[in-house]
Amino acid sequence: MHRPFFFVVAVVALFSTASAVYEVDSVSPSTGKYLQAQVVTLTGADFGETSPGSLVIIYTNSVNGVVKTCGSSSWIDSTNLQCTTGTEIDAYQFVYFTVTIDGVPGEISNAAYQALPPAPVITDVFPFTGPDSKSIKITLTGTDFPVSTQANSLVFYKSTDLTTPVPYGCSSHGPGTGAGLYTCTVNSTALKDGDKIYFKIDVRGQVSQISTGNYPGNFTASRCTAGHYLTSVNYQCVNCPAGRAESNFNKVYSASNTNCTTTCAPGKYSDVGASACSNCAAGTFQSNPQSSSCGTCSANTYSAAAATTCTPCGSNFVSSAGASTCTCPAGFQLDNGACTQCAAGTYSASADSTTCTSCPANSFSTSAGATGCTNCGSNFVSAGGSSPCTCPAGYSKSNPQAPASIGIRLFSNNIDSGATCTQCAAGTYSASADSTTCTTCSANSYSTSAGSTGCTNCASNFVSAGGSSACTCPAGFALGDGGSTCTQCTAGTYSASADSTTCTTCSANSFSTSAGATGCTNCASNFVSAGGSSACTCPAGYSTSGATSCSQCSAGQYSGSADSSSCTNCNSNTFSASAGSTACTNCDGGKVSSAGATACTTSGCPANFVSNADGGCDCPAGSALSDGDTVCTPCGSGFYSSSKNSASCTACAGTTPTDDDKPKPGSGKGKSSVVKPATVTTAATGATSCGCPFVIDDNDEHHDNELRATRSVRLLDDNTACICPTGRFIDGNHCKSCPVGTWSNTVNSVSCAPCSGLTYSKVKNPTTCTRCSNDGAWLSIAGSSSCTCSFADNDGPKDGTKDCKCQAGNYISGGQCKPCPAGTYSASINSVSCTNCAAGLFAPAQSKSCKACPIGSTSNDGITCVKSKPKSFQPEKPRV
């Protein structure tokens, strides 16, 4: 756009007197609303690096030539300034800017700012719905509508024509009665039912968009539906008031109480906006017309639907508020339409029962009309019906003084009498019902649990004090068979406390002389005993003159066996150098001694010979002559001679002579020979006999070929065999019993084998191991002296000789005997699972069987019993 000529002249004149040029190249924004102030940014060059001392910006209207100074001018930077215009710039007018900095004016700008009228916007219409085929004024709400003049045009379009819009004119239009309002009157022939219209307005050439969309900016013509009426003012659809109804469409009424056609009659009602009246529901009523709700029937009355009043129930029948029928209550029974009260001793628990039920066992009812029975007092029982409650056997009854007015039956039923029925404690009993005391069990009898009706005698050897709940196995006895037997301890053993599980062997050098000992007695001085002895002995090397005297033999004496009555002097040519000797030692060759000597002296005899009483020399027993009887040689190990001056030494059974042990050639006595190996031998040289290389360590006697206990080695009668019997083993010079948990089945064993797993041994000298019960319930490890249950046994401890039982009512799981949970049972021992109770039965935990619920109840879960629900009864018609 070219600037007017007069602006050019002004610019020439300005430039003729100034040297600086301030030119505006662009403005932003370039357009804005008309008749409104606008902040405009001017962009150019050479506006200075700092804010100038003075800045004046003017703008010139291109239409009327009016020059105005910006309401405010500001420097932003060297290329940008700002100007705020006034509100006088009208629609479609341009203004151009001139900048003066510190008194020096610049050129008028080529860029201009133009004021434009804004496009109007329709935001809403009112009303947005109305009747069809009627003239109606519609008010548009929006922005930038004309305030005092008509718009250039206002048209509307029907929604059916939006593809190719066809405009319809308003019969009249003009500004509304407030800012942002504009009206259009649509004539009565323009709209039909269901028509939806949209508006478009033209204000000074600025045209709004068509107000498409469901809302805002549209109007829909529609008919007023049933349940409503059209007001005669503004044709608005209004709900019918409560108590009235309208079934017609577009029915026009004035806003008064006479609107809508139908008035609801008594027994009916309507809500707001109803097209018809509704019947009052059964159990309610309405006696007035034109009602918005129905009243509720009071208790002991009833009504059917659409009732105007409520009807009272018949004799004994009852109802709650709002009932549509009456019922025969609990405590009564229906009989041919009548409602009759239940007699004493019977009851009915629910309404409309057809029978009265007798009270079950352990309960009673004392008056007519009962809805349930009263349980007997704690621990009291009854047979049911009207029978009295009694305190059963196993309990005791206290009878406080009852008032005379209560009577015998009332007292027996335990009502308000204060009587109590207390279970007899363990160790006591009552044998009959209604006993007033519990009797104490006598000595050596017991009752294990509370509520006993008698006492049980203690088993053999068991004892108890009076009033006991269990018997005990006394000291001197031991429990066996899992605690079921009580056996007296044998001599040489004892138990110090009651209920001991074993009899303990007396330790070495102590004893118990009789069975049933509660302890062992230490041996007297010098006396000795092996473990488990019933008496002490005075050992070899000592002599005894009574049960309490045991004296050591002096040097020069000996005693070769236990319990010797005296000590014997050593023979001549023998000696004992120390006290307590069990044998005398031969003098060495060339030495002699007198009887009772403690040492040998030198003699004139050759080596190994000894002097005799005749003054000659003898080759003593234990040696043999050789080399023409001139040499006396002691017998070697494994050989012996039992008499003096023997021609040879005899080999013990089982000994093969060596060259050193055989008689020397040329003696003319004896001969070389090899004997078969046997078990009799001697380890010493110069032996006068053969004997076992061990002693047996206990007091047991064995078969003919075995030794009797002794503390010295001696030869068997036939000198052919020395036997450490089965059940024993040889340890050094001792034949010892195999320990419990081991066994030996051969003679002369050098060790005992441990019992294998699942076997045990618990007796002396075991020759075999006993197998644990093979039912899978017993366990043992190698070398065991007993078997143990593989689970916690509810039947007490076991010793391996009886079955290990997981009793009925329990089951085996994970190596343990566990109780069956409530609702299940097991009927046999060693069960591996529990069985669920059948429907209607129940069982507490650890049950052997399931039980039936009491009469009138059942069980759904097998754990608890609940009352059965009787069938409900609904009368065919209300009773009056």
Side-chain angles (χ1 to χ4, degrees):
M1 177 179 290
H2 296 289
R3 292 172 288 178
F5 175 74
F6 67 88
F7 287 127
V8 175
V9 173
V11 170
V12 171
L14 288 171
F15 275 100
S16 64
T17 60
S19 60
V21 176
Y22 304 110
E23 184 174 359
V24 177
D25 297 325
S26 63
V27 297
S28 176
S30 60
T31 62
K33 293 183 178 182
Y34 74 108
L35 302 180
Q36 291 186 16
Q38 178 68 50
V39 176
V40 181
T41 300
L42 312 178
T43 302
D46 301 325
F47 292 150
E49 295 301 323
T50 59
S51 177
S54 65
L55 174 65
V56 178
I57 304 174
I58 61 174
Y59 57 90
T60 304
N61 194 308
S62 65
V63 175
N64 53 26
V66 174
V67 177
K68 292 285 187 179
T69 301
C70 294
S72 66
S73 301
S74 59
W75 179 88
I76 298 174
D77 55 33
S78 62
T79 59
N80 292 287
L81 304 174
Q82 274 190 348
C83 165
T84 302
T85 69
T87 60
E88 78 286 349
I89 306 175
D90 204 350
Y92 304 111
Q93 291 182 346
F94 291 90
V95 296
Y96 297 87
F97 298 89
T98 302
V99 176
T100 300
I101 296 176
D102 293 332
V104 179
E107 289 187 348
I108 190 168
S109 65
N110 288 318
Y113 166 79
Q114 183 183 23
L116 295 174
V121 177
I122 301 171
T123 59
D124 200 359
V125 299
F126 180 82
F128 55 84
T129 184
D132 63 338
S133 304
K134 292 185 182 294
S135 178
I136 187 169
K137 178 185 282 188
I138 300 172
T139 299
L140 282 62
T141 302
T143 58
D144 298 310
F145 291 162
V147 178
S148 59
T149 61
Q150 279 192 328
N152 294 36
S153 67
L154 175 61
V155 296
F156 62 89
Y157 302 85
K158 294 183 180 181
S159 60
T160 54
D161 299 331
L162 288 181
T163 303
T164 54
V166 176
Y168 293 83
C170 299
S171 58
S172 64
H173 65 88
T177 57
L181 301 177
Y182 202 83
T183 63
C184 168
T185 302
V186 179
N187 64 39
S188 61
T189 61
L191 300 178
K192 302 299 181 184
D193 182 36
D195 281 349
K196 182 179 290 187
I197 61 175
Y198 304 90
F199 296 90
K200 183 169 73 174
I201 188 169
D202 182 342
V203 179
R204 298 185 69 175
Q206 296 294 314
V207 182
S208 71
Q209 296 290 326
I210 297 176
S211 58
T212 56
N214 289 331
Y215 185 89
N218 60 72
F219 172 87
T220 302
S222 62
R223 292 183 177 179
C224 198
T225 59
H228 302 77
Y229 68 94
L230 275 170
T231 62
S232 57
V233 178
N234 293 332
Y235 300 102
Q236 298 299 302
C237 281
V238 179
N239 287 324
C240 288
R244 301 183 68 84
E246 178 59 68
S247 59
N248 296 318
F249 294 93
N250 279 357
K251 189 72 174 179
V252 180
Y253 296 94
S254 62
S256 68
N257 290 333
T258 60
N259 51 29
C260 296
T261 303
T262 304
T263 298
C264 295
K268 296 178 180 289
Y269 74 99
S270 72
D271 293 326
V272 173
S275 61
C277 296
S278 301
N279 289 333
C280 289
T284 66
F285 73 99
Q286 182 52 259
S287 56
N288 298 317
Q290 195 173 334
S291 296
S292 61
S293 62
C294 299
T296 300
C297 289
S298 60
N300 299 324
T301 66
Y302 71 97
S303 74
T308 59
T309 59
C310 297
T311 304
C313 294
S315 176
N316 292 332
F317 284 90
V318 295
S319 71
S320 58
S324 61
T325 185
C326 297
T327 59
C328 184
F332 292 74
Q333 68 172 356
L334 283 171
D335 185 11
N336 294 325
C339 183
T340 306
Q341 192 175 43
C342 292
T346 66
Y347 74 99
S348 67
S350 58
D352 292 333
S353 295
T354 57
T355 58
C356 293
T357 305
S358 294
C359 289
N362 301 326
S363 68
F364 63 94
S365 69
T366 57
S367 59
T371 59
C373 298
T374 303
N375 290 330
C376 292
S378 177
N379 297 327
F380 284 87
V381 296
S382 76
S386 58
S387 64
C389 298
T390 61
C391 185
Y395 293 73
S396 67
K397 178 180 178 182
S398 67
N399 285 328
Q401 185 63 42
S405 61
I406 293 179
I408 296 175
R409 177 177 175 80
L410 192 58
F411 182 81
S412 66
N413 278 327
N414 195 32
I415 303 174
D416 298 328
S417 66
T420 60
C421 182
T422 306
Q423 191 176 46
C424 291
T428 66
Y429 73 99
S430 69
S432 59
D434 289 334
S435 296
T436 58
T437 58
C438 293
T439 304
T440 299
C441 290
S442 61
N444 298 325
S445 69
Y446 67 99
S447 65
T448 56
S449 58
S452 295
T453 59
C455 299
T456 304
N457 289 331
C458 293
S460 177
N461 293 329
F462 284 90
V463 296
S464 72
S468 295
S469 61
C471 298
T472 60
C473 185
F477 291 73
L479 291 168
D481 291 338
S484 62
T485 62
C486 179
T487 305
Q488 190 176 45
C489 293
T490 59
T493 65
Y494 73 98
S495 69
S497 59
D499 291 333
S500 296
T501 56
T502 58
C503 292
T504 304
T505 300
C506 289
S507 61
N509 300 322
S510 68
F511 68 99
S512 65
T513 58
S514 59
T518 59
C520 297
T521 303
N522 290 331
C523 293
S525 177
N526 294 329
F527 282 88
V528 295
S529 70
S533 296
S534 60
C536 299
T537 59
C538 187
Y542 291 74
S543 67
T544 179
S545 60
T548 60
S549 174
C550 180
S551 302
Q552 191 177 45
C553 292
S554 302
Q557 296 180 319
Y558 75 98
S559 67
S561 61
D563 291 331
S564 296
S565 61
S566 63
C567 296
T568 304
N569 288 331
C570 291
N571 293 328
S572 58
N573 298 323
T574 66
F575 72 98
S576 65
S578 59
S581 295
T582 60
C584 296
T585 305
N586 291 329
C587 291
D588 294 335
K591 291 186 178 183
V592 295
S593 69
S594 59
T598 60
C600 296
T601 60
T602 303
S603 69
C605 294
N608 298 325
F609 283 89
V610 296
S611 300
N612 57 33
D614 298 331
C617 294
D618 291 327
C619 186
S623 301
L625 292 169
S626 62
D627 295 334
D629 298 336
T630 61
V631 175
C632 180
T633 305
C635 296
S637 176
F639 293 82
Y640 74 99
S641 67
S642 59
S643 61
K644 64 183 179 179
N645 298 322
S646 296
S648 65
C649 294
T650 304
C652 294
T655 301
T656 301
T658 64
D659 290 339
D660 293 335
D661 294 328
K662 298 175 183 176
K664 302 301 181 182
S667 66
K669 298 181 180 180
K671 61 180 180 179
S672 299
S673 63
V674 177
V675 298
K676 294 181 179 179
T679 58
V680 179
T681 184
T682 181
T685 60
T688 60
S689 64
C690 293
C692 290
F694 50 78
V695 293
I696 298 177
D697 278 356
D698 58 24
N699 292 329
D700 294 338
E701 291 189 3
H702 306 284
H703 55 75
D704 292 343
N705 288 334
E706 296 177 358
L707 293 177
R708 180 173 175 81
T710 177
R711 288 191 173 274
S712 62
V713 177
R714 65 183 179 85
L715 191 64
L716 292 177
D717 293 340
D718 56 6
N719 289 337
T720 58
C722 179
I723 296 173
C724 185
T726 57
R728 297 172 177 271
F729 71 103
I730 299 172
D731 182 14
N733 64 342
H734 295 270
C735 177
K736 297 182 177 180
S737 293
C738 289
V740 292
T742 66
W743 65 290
S744 166
N745 64 353
T746 59
V747 297
N748 295 334
S749 296
V750 295
S751 64
C752 299
C755 291
S756 61
L758 298 181
T759 64
Y760 70 99
S761 68
K762 60 178 291 184
V763 297
K764 289 183 178 181
N765 310 324
T767 60
T768 185
C769 295
T770 304
R771 184 169 181 80
C772 297
S773 175
N774 60 1
D775 60 7
W778 287 103
L779 291 177
S780 75
I781 60 174
S784 292
S785 61
S786 63
C787 297
T788 57
C789 263
S790 62
F791 48 79
D793 184 9
N794 291 332
D795 196 29
K798 294 287 186 278
D799 62 1
T801 62
K802 301 292 183 181
D803 286 339
C804 180
K805 297 176 182 178
C806 183
Q807 297 291 343
N810 304 274
Y811 70 105
I812 301 173
S813 175
Q816 293 186 354
C817 183
K818 300 179 179 180
C820 288
T824 67
Y825 73 98
S826 68
S828 58
I829 65 171
N830 293 343
S831 297
V832 295
S833 63
C834 300
T835 304
N836 290 328
C837 290
L841 302 181
F842 78 101
Q846 208 171 13
S847 292
K848 299 178 182 179
S849 62
C850 296
K851 301 178 182 178
C853 289
I855 297 174
S857 64
T858 187
S859 177
N860 298 321
D861 57 6
I863 300 174
T864 57
C865 294
V866 296
K867 287 186 177 180
S868 302
K869 183 180 290 185
K871 295 182 180 179
S872 62
F873 177 80
Q874 182 68 33
E876 294 182 357
K877 61 183 180 177
R879 281 81 172 177
V880 296

